[in-house]
Amino acid sequence: MAEIDWEEPYCGEGNNCFRIGIDAEGNAYIAVAGQEDRPLTDSRDALRALIREIKAGRADHLL
């Protein structure tokens, strides 16, 4: 696995902490804090698109 540069954890309400990271090849990663050895990975563009969709309210039905 490529070396991942992890951001500090983001923790919402309760103990739901997530980390976002990137590697030198341009891949983006999301992992549960403490489980960085099992990340979800895709391109930075895909992560950017996911964040835009969430911010636009397209995941509000999950709340």
PDB file of all heavy atoms in Angstrom, residues 10-45:
ATOM      1  N   TYR A  10     -11.709  13.652  11.956  1.00  0.00           N
ATOM      2  CA  TYR A  10     -12.911  14.469  12.103  1.00  0.00           C
ATOM      3  C   TYR A  10     -13.902  13.629  12.890  1.00  0.00           C
ATOM      4  O   TYR A  10     -14.219  12.502  12.499  1.00  0.00           O
ATOM      5  CB  TYR A  10     -13.517  14.844  10.750  1.00  0.00           C
ATOM      6  CG  TYR A  10     -14.900  15.427  10.915  1.00  0.00           C
ATOM      7  CD1 TYR A  10     -15.061  16.749  11.309  1.00  0.00           C
ATOM      8  CD2 TYR A  10     -16.032  14.645  10.755  1.00  0.00           C
ATOM      9  CE1 TYR A  10     -16.320  17.285  11.515  1.00  0.00           C
ATOM     10  CE2 TYR A  10     -17.301  15.177  10.954  1.00  0.00           C
ATOM     11  CZ  TYR A  10     -17.437  16.494  11.329  1.00  0.00           C
ATOM     12  OH  TYR A  10     -18.670  17.013  11.541  1.00  0.00           O
ATOM     13  N   CYS A  11     -14.365  14.151  14.004  1.00  0.00           N
ATOM     14  CA  CYS A  11     -15.299  13.419  14.846  1.00  0.00           C
ATOM     15  C   CYS A  11     -16.621  14.178  14.921  1.00  0.00           C
ATOM     16  O   CYS A  11     -16.656  15.331  15.337  1.00  0.00           O
ATOM     17  CB  CYS A  11     -14.735  13.242  16.248  1.00  0.00           C
ATOM     18  SG  CYS A  11     -13.199  12.307  16.278  1.00  0.00           S
ATOM     19  N   GLY A  12     -17.673  13.526  14.485  1.00  0.00           N
ATOM     20  CA  GLY A  12     -19.007  14.097  14.612  1.00  0.00           C
ATOM     21  C   GLY A  12     -19.524  13.826  16.011  1.00  0.00           C
ATOM     22  O   GLY A  12     -18.759  13.616  16.953  1.00  0.00           O
ATOM     23  N   GLU A  13     -20.800  13.794  16.147  1.00  0.00           N
ATOM     24  CA  GLU A  13     -21.392  13.512  17.448  1.00  0.00           C
ATOM     25  C   GLU A  13     -21.073  12.081  17.856  1.00  0.00           C
ATOM     26  O   GLU A  13     -21.078  11.173  17.037  1.00  0.00           O
ATOM     27  CB  GLU A  13     -22.904  13.716  17.379  1.00  0.00           C
ATOM     28  CG  GLU A  13     -23.287  15.155  17.134  1.00  0.00           C
ATOM     29  CD  GLU A  13     -24.779  15.347  17.040  1.00  0.00           C
ATOM     30  OE1 GLU A  13     -25.528  14.510  17.560  1.00  0.00           O
ATOM     31  OE2 GLU A  13     -25.180  16.344  16.441  1.00  0.00           O
ATOM     32  N   GLY A  14     -20.799  11.891  19.092  1.00  0.00           N
ATOM     33  CA  GLY A  14     -20.456  10.560  19.578  1.00  0.00           C
ATOM     34  C   GLY A  14     -19.032  10.203  19.225  1.00  0.00           C
ATOM     35  O   GLY A  14     -18.147  11.037  19.217  1.00  0.00           O
ATOM     36  N   ASN A  15     -18.798   8.965  18.909  1.00  0.00           N
ATOM     37  CA  ASN A  15     -17.452   8.476  18.632  1.00  0.00           C
ATOM     38  C   ASN A  15     -17.220   8.159  17.157  1.00  0.00           C
ATOM     39  O   ASN A  15     -16.388   7.327  16.831  1.00  0.00           O
ATOM     40  CB  ASN A  15     -17.171   7.217  19.468  1.00  0.00           C
ATOM     41  CG  ASN A  15     -17.144   7.526  20.942  1.00  0.00           C
ATOM     42  OD1 ASN A  15     -16.687   8.580  21.344  1.00  0.00           O
ATOM     43  ND2 ASN A  15     -17.628   6.611  21.745  1.00  0.00           N
ATOM     44  N   ASN A  16     -17.970   8.761  16.268  1.00  0.00           N
ATOM     45  CA  ASN A  16     -17.817   8.484  14.852  1.00  0.00           C
ATOM     46  C   ASN A  16     -16.716   9.362  14.277  1.00  0.00           C
ATOM     47  O   ASN A  16     -16.951  10.468  13.836  1.00  0.00           O
ATOM     48  CB  ASN A  16     -19.133   8.756  14.108  1.00  0.00           C
ATOM     49  CG  ASN A  16     -20.245   7.889  14.645  1.00  0.00           C
ATOM     50  OD1 ASN A  16     -20.028   6.728  14.917  1.00  0.00           O
ATOM     51  ND2 ASN A  16     -21.420   8.452  14.794  1.00  0.00           N
ATOM     52  N   CYS A  17     -15.489   8.863  14.286  1.00  0.00           N
ATOM     53  CA  CYS A  17     -14.346   9.638  13.817  1.00  0.00           C
ATOM     54  C   CYS A  17     -13.840   9.067  12.499  1.00  0.00           C
ATOM     55  O   CYS A  17     -13.644   7.861  12.368  1.00  0.00           O
ATOM     56  CB  CYS A  17     -13.220   9.608  14.841  1.00  0.00           C
ATOM     57  SG  CYS A  17     -13.664  10.348  16.422  1.00  0.00           S
ATOM     58  N   PHE A  18     -13.636   9.956  11.544  1.00  0.00           N
ATOM     59  CA  PHE A  18     -13.152   9.557  10.231  1.00  0.00           C
ATOM     60  C   PHE A  18     -11.897  10.336   9.895  1.00  0.00           C
ATOM     61  O   PHE A  18     -11.679  11.434  10.382  1.00  0.00           O
ATOM     62  CB  PHE A  18     -14.215   9.838   9.157  1.00  0.00           C
ATOM     63  CG  PHE A  18     -15.448   9.011   9.336  1.00  0.00           C
ATOM     64  CD1 PHE A  18     -16.508   9.475  10.084  1.00  0.00           C
ATOM     65  CD2 PHE A  18     -15.533   7.750   8.776  1.00  0.00           C
ATOM     66  CE1 PHE A  18     -17.647   8.709  10.263  1.00  0.00           C
ATOM     67  CE2 PHE A  18     -16.663   6.973   8.952  1.00  0.00           C
ATOM     68  CZ  PHE A  18     -17.723   7.455   9.698  1.00  0.00           C
ATOM     69  N   ARG A  19     -11.067   9.748   9.026  1.00  0.00           N
ATOM     70  CA  ARG A  19      -9.857  10.413   8.566  1.00  0.00           C
ATOM     71  C   ARG A  19      -9.857  10.413   7.048  1.00  0.00           C
ATOM     72  O   ARG A  19     -10.293   9.451   6.425  1.00  0.00           O
ATOM     73  CB  ARG A  19      -8.623   9.699   9.082  1.00  0.00           C
ATOM     74  CG  ARG A  19      -8.547   9.764  10.602  1.00  0.00           C
ATOM     75  CD  ARG A  19      -7.294   9.203  11.113  1.00  0.00           C
ATOM     76  NE  ARG A  19      -6.247  10.236  10.984  1.00  0.00           N
ATOM     77  CZ  ARG A  19      -5.001  10.041  11.334  1.00  0.00           C
ATOM     78  NH1 ARG A  19      -4.619   8.882  11.799  1.00  0.00           N
ATOM     79  NH2 ARG A  19      -4.113  11.005  11.209  1.00  0.00           N
ATOM     80  N   ILE A  20      -9.351  11.479   6.483  1.00  0.00           N
ATOM     81  CA  ILE A  20      -9.175  11.595   5.041  1.00  0.00           C
ATOM     82  C   ILE A  20      -7.682  11.705   4.788  1.00  0.00           C
ATOM     83  O   ILE A  20      -6.966  12.401   5.508  1.00  0.00           O
ATOM     84  CB  ILE A  20      -9.920  12.823   4.495  1.00  0.00           C
ATOM     85  CG1 ILE A  20     -11.422  12.636   4.678  1.00  0.00           C
ATOM     86  CG2 ILE A  20      -9.577  13.071   3.025  1.00  0.00           C
ATOM     87  CD1 ILE A  20     -12.252  13.819   4.263  1.00  0.00           C
ATOM     88  N   GLY A  21      -7.218  11.004   3.767  1.00  0.00           N
ATOM     89  CA  GLY A  21      -5.807  11.044   3.438  1.00  0.00           C
ATOM     90  C   GLY A  21      -5.585  11.024   1.942  1.00  0.00           C
ATOM     91  O   GLY A  21      -6.500  10.725   1.173  1.00  0.00           O
ATOM     92  N   ILE A  22      -4.363  11.337   1.525  1.00  0.00           N
ATOM     93  CA  ILE A  22      -3.977  11.284   0.119  1.00  0.00           C
ATOM     94  C   ILE A  22      -2.595  10.651   0.025  1.00  0.00           C
ATOM     95  O   ILE A  22      -1.843  10.625   0.993  1.00  0.00           O
ATOM     96  CB  ILE A  22      -3.971  12.684  -0.539  1.00  0.00           C
ATOM     97  CG1 ILE A  22      -3.055  13.644   0.227  1.00  0.00           C
ATOM     98  CG2 ILE A  22      -5.369  13.256  -0.638  1.00  0.00           C
ATOM     99  CD1 ILE A  22      -2.839  14.974  -0.454  1.00  0.00           C
ATOM    100  N   ASP A  23      -2.282  10.130  -1.156  1.00  0.00           N
ATOM    101  CA  ASP A  23      -0.945   9.608  -1.381  1.00  0.00           C
ATOM    102  C   ASP A  23      -0.298  10.357  -2.546  1.00  0.00           C
ATOM    103  O   ASP A  23      -0.924  11.212  -3.180  1.00  0.00           O
ATOM    104  CB  ASP A  23      -0.956   8.095  -1.596  1.00  0.00           C
ATOM    105  CG  ASP A  23      -1.640   7.649  -2.877  1.00  0.00           C
ATOM    106  OD1 ASP A  23      -1.830   8.467  -3.801  1.00  0.00           O
ATOM    107  OD2 ASP A  23      -1.978   6.454  -2.971  1.00  0.00           O
ATOM    108  N   ALA A  24       0.943  10.046  -2.815  1.00  0.00           N
ATOM    109  CA  ALA A  24       1.710  10.750  -3.842  1.00  0.00           C
ATOM    110  C   ALA A  24       1.196  10.483  -5.256  1.00  0.00           C
ATOM    111  O   ALA A  24       1.455  11.260  -6.170  1.00  0.00           O
ATOM    112  CB  ALA A  24       3.177  10.348  -3.751  1.00  0.00           C
ATOM    113  N   GLU A  25       0.430   9.420  -5.454  1.00  0.00           N
ATOM    114  CA  GLU A  25      -0.098   9.083  -6.775  1.00  0.00           C
ATOM    115  C   GLU A  25      -1.430   9.764  -7.076  1.00  0.00           C
ATOM    116  O   GLU A  25      -2.003   9.557  -8.134  1.00  0.00           O
ATOM    117  CB  GLU A  25      -0.251   7.566  -6.917  1.00  0.00           C
ATOM    118  CG  GLU A  25       1.066   6.827  -7.066  1.00  0.00           C
ATOM    119  CD  GLU A  25       1.779   6.638  -5.726  1.00  0.00           C
ATOM    120  OE1 GLU A  25       1.091   6.337  -4.730  1.00  0.00           O
ATOM    121  OE2 GLU A  25       2.997   6.829  -5.680  1.00  0.00           O
ATOM    122  N   GLY A  26      -1.957  10.529  -6.130  1.00  0.00           N
ATOM    123  CA  GLY A  26      -3.217  11.234  -6.354  1.00  0.00           C
ATOM    124  C   GLY A  26      -4.452  10.481  -5.923  1.00  0.00           C
ATOM    125  O   GLY A  26      -5.563  10.848  -6.288  1.00  0.00           O
ATOM    126  N   ASN A  27      -4.283   9.419  -5.158  1.00  0.00           N
ATOM    127  CA  ASN A  27      -5.430   8.681  -4.641  1.00  0.00           C
ATOM    128  C   ASN A  27      -5.887   9.305  -3.329  1.00  0.00           C
ATOM    129  O   ASN A  27      -5.087   9.836  -2.576  1.00  0.00           O
ATOM    130  CB  ASN A  27      -5.061   7.216  -4.401  1.00  0.00           C
ATOM    131  CG  ASN A  27      -4.667   6.536  -5.679  1.00  0.00           C
ATOM    132  OD1 ASN A  27      -5.397   6.575  -6.656  1.00  0.00           O
ATOM    133  ND2 ASN A  27      -3.499   5.932  -5.690  1.00  0.00           N
ATOM    134  N   ALA A  28      -7.180   9.216  -3.070  1.00  0.00           N
ATOM    135  CA  ALA A  28      -7.760   9.731  -1.830  1.00  0.00           C
ATOM    136  C   ALA A  28      -8.273   8.557  -1.005  1.00  0.00           C
ATOM    137  O   ALA A  28      -8.686   7.535  -1.554  1.00  0.00           O
ATOM    138  CB  ALA A  28      -8.904  10.696  -2.140  1.00  0.00           C
ATOM    139  N   TYR A  29      -8.253   8.727   0.313  1.00  0.00           N
ATOM    140  CA  TYR A  29      -8.638   7.655   1.233  1.00  0.00           C
ATOM    141  C   TYR A  29      -9.546   8.206   2.318  1.00  0.00           C
ATOM    142  O   TYR A  29      -9.368   9.329   2.777  1.00  0.00           O
ATOM    143  CB  TYR A  29      -7.390   7.072   1.905  1.00  0.00           C
ATOM    144  CG  TYR A  29      -6.391   6.496   0.942  1.00  0.00           C
ATOM    145  CD1 TYR A  29      -5.477   7.311   0.293  1.00  0.00           C
ATOM    146  CD2 TYR A  29      -6.378   5.136   0.677  1.00  0.00           C
ATOM    147  CE1 TYR A  29      -4.564   6.782  -0.604  1.00  0.00           C
ATOM    148  CE2 TYR A  29      -5.456   4.595  -0.215  1.00  0.00           C
ATOM    149  CZ  TYR A  29      -4.558   5.425  -0.853  1.00  0.00           C
ATOM    150  OH  TYR A  29      -3.660   4.906  -1.739  1.00  0.00           O
ATOM    151  N   ILE A  30     -10.517   7.390   2.718  1.00  0.00           N
ATOM    152  CA  ILE A  30     -11.359   7.678   3.878  1.00  0.00           C
ATOM    153  C   ILE A  30     -11.299   6.433   4.753  1.00  0.00           C
ATOM    154  O   ILE A  30     -11.453   5.313   4.262  1.00  0.00           O
ATOM    155  CB  ILE A  30     -12.825   7.957   3.487  1.00  0.00           C
ATOM    156  CG1 ILE A  30     -12.928   9.152   2.555  1.00  0.00           C
ATOM    157  CG2 ILE A  30     -13.678   8.180   4.733  1.00  0.00           C
ATOM    158  CD1 ILE A  30     -14.334   9.392   2.030  1.00  0.00           C
ATOM    159  N   ALA A  31     -11.089   6.639   6.057  1.00  0.00           N
ATOM    160  CA  ALA A  31     -11.035   5.506   6.979  1.00  0.00           C
ATOM    161  C   ALA A  31     -11.632   5.908   8.316  1.00  0.00           C
ATOM    162  O   ALA A  31     -11.641   7.084   8.683  1.00  0.00           O
ATOM    163  CB  ALA A  31      -9.591   5.048   7.189  1.00  0.00           C
ATOM    164  N   VAL A  32     -12.136   4.925   9.019  1.00  0.00           N
ATOM    165  CA  VAL A  32     -12.542   5.128  10.395  1.00  0.00           C
ATOM    166  C   VAL A  32     -11.260   5.301  11.196  1.00  0.00           C
ATOM    167  O   VAL A  32     -10.295   4.552  11.003  1.00  0.00           O
ATOM    168  CB  VAL A  32     -13.353   3.917  10.907  1.00  0.00           C
ATOM    169  CG1 VAL A  32     -13.638   4.037  12.394  1.00  0.00           C
ATOM    170  CG2 VAL A  32     -14.648   3.769  10.106  1.00  0.00           C
ATOM    171  N   ALA A  33     -11.219   6.299  12.051  1.00  0.00           N
ATOM    172  CA  ALA A  33     -10.029   6.534  12.872  1.00  0.00           C
ATOM    173  C   ALA A  33      -9.702   5.274  13.663  1.00  0.00           C
ATOM    174  O   ALA A  33     -10.577   4.658  14.267  1.00  0.00           O
ATOM    175  CB  ALA A  33     -10.242   7.717  13.810  1.00  0.00           C
ATOM    176  N   GLY A  34      -8.447   4.881  13.601  1.00  0.00           N
ATOM    177  CA  GLY A  34      -8.007   3.665  14.259  1.00  0.00           C
ATOM    178  C   GLY A  34      -8.044   2.450  13.358  1.00  0.00           C
ATOM    179  O   GLY A  34      -7.537   1.392  13.711  1.00  0.00           O
ATOM    180  N   GLN A  35      -8.655   2.584  12.174  1.00  0.00           N
ATOM    181  CA  GLN A  35      -8.732   1.480  11.221  1.00  0.00           C
ATOM    182  C   GLN A  35      -8.178   1.922   9.863  1.00  0.00           C
ATOM    183  O   GLN A  35      -8.683   1.547   8.815  1.00  0.00           O
ATOM    184  CB  GLN A  35     -10.174   1.002  11.077  1.00  0.00           C
ATOM    185  CG  GLN A  35     -10.753   0.468  12.357  1.00  0.00           C
ATOM    186  CD  GLN A  35     -12.187   0.010  12.197  1.00  0.00           C
ATOM    187  OE1 GLN A  35     -12.673  -0.234  11.103  1.00  0.00           O
ATOM    188  NE2 GLN A  35     -12.885  -0.112  13.303  1.00  0.00           N
ATOM    189  N   GLU A  36      -7.108   2.701   9.904  1.00  0.00           N
ATOM    190  CA  GLU A  36      -6.522   3.238   8.688  1.00  0.00           C
ATOM    191  C   GLU A  36      -5.934   2.162   7.778  1.00  0.00           C
ATOM    192  O   GLU A  36      -5.656   2.412   6.610  1.00  0.00           O
ATOM    193  CB  GLU A  36      -5.452   4.280   9.022  1.00  0.00           C
ATOM    194  CG  GLU A  36      -6.005   5.563   9.588  1.00  0.00           C
ATOM    195  CD  GLU A  36      -6.268   5.517  11.090  1.00  0.00           C
ATOM    196  OE1 GLU A  36      -6.089   4.451  11.729  1.00  0.00           O
ATOM    197  OE2 GLU A  36      -6.643   6.565  11.634  1.00  0.00           O
ATOM    198  N   ASP A  37      -5.790   0.947   8.293  1.00  0.00           N
ATOM    199  CA  ASP A  37      -5.287  -0.156   7.478  1.00  0.00           C
ATOM    200  C   ASP A  37      -6.371  -0.736   6.564  1.00  0.00           C
ATOM    201  O   ASP A  37      -6.085  -1.584   5.723  1.00  0.00           O
ATOM    202  CB  ASP A  37      -4.708  -1.258   8.365  1.00  0.00           C
ATOM    203  CG  ASP A  37      -5.722  -1.828   9.346  1.00  0.00           C
ATOM    204  OD1 ASP A  37      -6.612  -1.074   9.804  1.00  0.00           O
ATOM    205  OD2 ASP A  37      -5.615  -3.024   9.679  1.00  0.00           O
ATOM    206  N   ARG A  38      -7.625  -0.247   6.695  1.00  0.00           N
ATOM    207  CA  ARG A  38      -8.740  -0.720   5.856  1.00  0.00           C
ATOM    208  C   ARG A  38      -9.505   0.473   5.265  1.00  0.00           C
ATOM    209  O   ARG A  38     -10.710   0.621   5.502  1.00  0.00           O
ATOM    210  CB  ARG A  38      -9.669  -1.588   6.688  1.00  0.00           C
ATOM    211  CG  ARG A  38      -8.996  -2.857   7.197  1.00  0.00           C
ATOM    212  CD  ARG A  38      -9.966  -3.811   7.838  1.00  0.00           C
ATOM    213  NE  ARG A  38     -10.795  -3.182   8.865  1.00  0.00           N
ATOM    214  CZ  ARG A  38     -10.718  -3.435  10.139  1.00  0.00           C
ATOM    215  NH1 ARG A  38      -9.847  -4.295  10.593  1.00  0.00           N
ATOM    216  NH2 ARG A  38     -11.512  -2.839  10.997  1.00  0.00           N
ATOM    217  N   PRO A  39      -8.835   1.314   4.484  1.00  0.00           N
ATOM    218  CA  PRO A  39      -9.523   2.502   3.963  1.00  0.00           C
ATOM    219  C   PRO A  39     -10.352   2.222   2.719  1.00  0.00           C
ATOM    220  O   PRO A  39     -10.140   1.233   2.005  1.00  0.00           O
ATOM    221  CB  PRO A  39      -8.349   3.419   3.602  1.00  0.00           C
ATOM    222  CG  PRO A  39      -7.300   2.466   3.140  1.00  0.00           C
ATOM    223  CD  PRO A  39      -7.432   1.284   4.081  1.00  0.00           C
ATOM    224  N   LEU A  40     -11.290   3.105   2.477  1.00  0.00           N
ATOM    225  CA  LEU A  40     -11.993   3.192   1.205  1.00  0.00           C
ATOM    226  C   LEU A  40     -11.129   4.096   0.350  1.00  0.00           C
ATOM    227  O   LEU A  40     -10.696   5.159   0.805  1.00  0.00           O
ATOM    228  CB  LEU A  40     -13.379   3.816   1.422  1.00  0.00           C
ATOM    229  CG  LEU A  40     -14.156   4.203   0.178  1.00  0.00           C
ATOM    230  CD1 LEU A  40     -14.565   2.947  -0.577  1.00  0.00           C
ATOM    231  CD2 LEU A  40     -15.358   5.021   0.555  1.00  0.00           C
ATOM    232  N   THR A  41     -10.834   3.706  -0.876  1.00  0.00           N
ATOM    233  CA  THR A  41      -9.939   4.510  -1.691  1.00  0.00           C
ATOM    234  C   THR A  41     -10.500   4.744  -3.096  1.00  0.00           C
ATOM    235  O   THR A  41     -11.240   3.917  -3.623  1.00  0.00           O
ATOM    236  CB  THR A  41      -8.540   3.862  -1.790  1.00  0.00           C
ATOM    237  OG1 THR A  41      -7.683   4.717  -2.543  1.00  0.00           O
ATOM    238  CG2 THR A  41      -8.599   2.511  -2.463  1.00  0.00           C
ATOM    239  N   ASP A  42     -10.176   5.895  -3.651  1.00  0.00           N
ATOM    240  CA  ASP A  42     -10.552   6.274  -5.008  1.00  0.00           C
ATOM    241  C   ASP A  42      -9.678   7.456  -5.399  1.00  0.00           C
ATOM    242  O   ASP A  42      -8.792   7.850  -4.643  1.00  0.00           O
ATOM    243  CB  ASP A  42     -12.037   6.629  -5.078  1.00  0.00           C
ATOM    244  CG  ASP A  42     -12.629   6.347  -6.459  1.00  0.00           C
ATOM    245  OD1 ASP A  42     -11.914   6.556  -7.467  1.00  0.00           O
ATOM    246  OD2 ASP A  42     -13.792   5.933  -6.538  1.00  0.00           O
ATOM    247  N   SER A  43      -9.968   8.066  -6.522  1.00  0.00           N
ATOM    248  CA  SER A  43      -9.187   9.228  -6.947  1.00  0.00           C
ATOM    249  C   SER A  43      -9.594  10.462  -6.147  1.00  0.00           C
ATOM    250  O   SER A  43     -10.664  10.501  -5.535  1.00  0.00           O
ATOM    251  CB  SER A  43      -9.406   9.492  -8.435  1.00  0.00           C
ATOM    252  OG  SER A  43     -10.738   9.920  -8.649  1.00  0.00           O
ATOM    253  N   ARG A  44      -8.743  11.471  -6.169  1.00  0.00           N
ATOM    254  CA  ARG A  44      -9.089  12.738  -5.519  1.00  0.00           C
ATOM    255  C   ARG A  44     -10.341  13.333  -6.149  1.00  0.00           C
ATOM    256  O   ARG A  44     -11.176  13.908  -5.465  1.00  0.00           O
ATOM    257  CB  ARG A  44      -7.943  13.734  -5.622  1.00  0.00           C
ATOM    258  CG  ARG A  44      -6.777  13.401  -4.751  1.00  0.00           C
ATOM    259  CD  ARG A  44      -5.759  14.503  -4.805  1.00  0.00           C
ATOM    260  NE  ARG A  44      -4.491  14.036  -4.268  1.00  0.00           N
ATOM    261  CZ  ARG A  44      -3.438  14.797  -4.116  1.00  0.00           C
ATOM    262  NH1 ARG A  44      -3.486  16.060  -4.455  1.00  0.00           N
ATOM    263  NH2 ARG A  44      -2.334  14.306  -3.615  1.00  0.00           N
ATOM    264  N   ASP A  45     -10.478  13.195  -7.473  1.00  0.00           N
ATOM    265  CA  ASP A  45     -11.668  13.717  -8.153  1.00  0.00           C
ATOM    266  C   ASP A  45     -12.933  13.031  -7.650  1.00  0.00           C
ATOM    267  O   ASP A  45     -13.960  13.667  -7.466  1.00  0.00           O
ATOM    268  CB  ASP A  45     -11.549  13.555  -9.664  1.00  0.00           C
ATOM    269  CG  ASP A  45     -10.535  14.496 -10.274  1.00  0.00           C
ATOM    270  OD1 ASP A  45     -10.247  15.558  -9.657  1.00  0.00           O
ATOM    271  OD2 ASP A  45     -10.030  14.187 -11.364  1.00  0.00           O
TER     272      ASP A  45
END
